[in-house]
Amino acid sequence: MKPILHPRLLGTPFDDPGLFVKILRERRAFLFDLGSIDLLTPSELLKVSEVFISHTHIDHFIGFDHLLRILLGREKKLKVFGPQGIISNIEGRLAGYTWNLVDDYKFRLEVIEIKKDTITTSSFNCWEKFKKHDIRTVPFNKILIDEPLLKAETSILDHLIPSLAFSLSEKIHININKDRLQALDLPVGPWLNDLKKYIREGMPDNFRFIAKWKKDGRTEEKEFVLGEISEQITTITRGQKVSYVVDAIYSKENESKLIDLIVDSDILYCEAAFLDRDRERAEKRYHLTAKQAGLIAKKAGVKRLIIFHFSPKYSSNPSELYQEAMGEFGKG
């Protein structure tokens, strides 16, 4: 199975946190937190369509201006999801600049603020000097993105302030059997993306569509019945799931919320700020220890755990954090 979600952490586990997730075969990517995003190229940042902010402590939000600078002159909409206060946080950042020469800039920000019971959306249009427009408020149901391809969910954790954890899931994975394709004398090509799109959108088995491709300089076409061709050349399996957890105290309430959110993740990116011998320090700072990260991952049935967001006090010996987390996780 070739995964469609290609995540990578930015920088080292001691750098300001950020996770970049590229979507295979799409000019689209997601960012989780805006820490050391200067490590990404402009071409990578231009693919970002959604940003998920856990909270606005400076190490998680410092890259906002850098991302804005890259996207500013583009005809593009960027969605930013964040906790209570994110709309005023971004409004304040935008107010710190002068916008007198942007009348023809088509960049648009849409900011989605997650509270305990509601989600509020506001927009900021560059050509209007980023004047705020309140759009809507709807009940909070944990789901931030619900598309045929992907679903993104969140949970509000306690970091002495609200801090968001996130999961990103491919709803189903569709694999094309190349041997069967060849046996039917059918080519690879964009028509297969259309086939996957129809399956993900839930089109009925009797849905008919015309596929076109080039062969020997000529355009060929053929009509297919969705259910028949799908049965012949596709294998449909559970989709990939990636989760991201930072800055939360270890408590029964947080643990319960996290397990519900990250259950069965293929990859969990989780903070491990302190060793368990420094648990008292972790509690005062409202962070997880490496042992607690491993325990939560184990309880949630996570397949792979990647820890990061280490306290600088362990810079001389980070291996202890890995040993403790993986020892508890049981897959080290």
Side-chain angles (χ1 to χ4, degrees), residues 135-329:
I135 299 177
R136 62 184 174 273
T137 297
V138 298
F140 173 58
N141 67 352
K142 291 177 50 177
I143 298 175
L144 305 179
I145 296 175
D146 192 1
E147 302 172 352
L149 178 62
L150 296 166
K151 179 168 71 172
E153 298 179 86
T154 190
S155 192
I156 303 172
L157 306 178
D158 179 15
H159 183 50
L160 200 57
I161 57 169
S163 180
L164 302 181
F166 302 99
S167 70
L168 180 66
S169 306
E170 177 192 18
K171 288 187 172 179
I172 57 172
H173 186 79
I174 305 169
N175 188 60
I176 302 295
N177 189 310
K178 300 293 178 60
D179 292 335
R180 294 179 193 170
L181 199 67
Q182 188 175 23
L184 293 168
D185 195 29
L186 295 173
V188 296
W191 75 275
L192 293 172
N193 292 330
D194 293 335
L195 170 62
K196 292 179 180 180
K197 177 175 174 287
Y198 299 140
I199 294 171
R200 288 191 175 106
E201 290 178 346
M203 301 301 288
D205 284 349
N206 62 0
F207 173 74
R208 294 177 178 270
F209 66 99
I210 303 295
K212 297 182 180 181
W213 54 79
K214 292 281 188 180
K215 185 176 182 181
D216 299 326
R218 304 189 314 273
T219 298
E220 295 188 357
E221 63 179 51
K222 185 174 181 178
E223 184 180 66
F224 293 104
V225 178
L226 181 61
E228 293 176 2
I229 190 63
S230 175
E231 185 176 358
Q232 288 176 309
I233 67 171
T234 69
T235 301
I236 299 175
T237 56
R238 170 190 172 273
Q240 183 186 7
K241 182 174 180 178
V242 175
S243 297
Y244 178 86
V245 176
V246 290
D247 291 41
I249 192 172
Y250 185 79
S251 66
K252 288 184 178 180
E253 183 179 2
N254 275 352
E255 183 187 69
S256 177
K257 288 180 177 181
L258 279 174
I259 291 172
D260 182 59
L261 178 72
I262 69 175
V263 64
D264 294 332
S265 293
D266 294 282
I267 309 175
L268 167 62
Y269 293 89
C270 188
E271 74 152 354
F274 295 92
L275 288 169
D276 205 59
R277 66 172 181 249
D278 299 318
R279 186 170 60 252
E280 186 175 329
R281 174 69 171 164
E283 290 172 355
K284 288 181 179 178
R285 304 296 296 176
Y286 277 68
H287 281 282
L288 296 176
T289 67
K291 182 176 181 178
Q292 290 162 353
L295 178 63
I296 290 169
K298 182 178 181 179
K299 287 184 176 182
V302 168
K303 294 178 177 62
R304 182 183 177 198
L305 171 64
I306 297 177
I307 57 171
F308 70 112
H309 203 19
F310 300 167
S311 168
K313 71 178 293 182
Y314 307 108
S315 58
S316 63
N317 191 17
S319 62
E320 285 189 86
L321 292 160
Y322 291 106
Q323 291 167 4
E324 183 171 282
M326 298 309 160
E328 192 67 29
F329 184 43

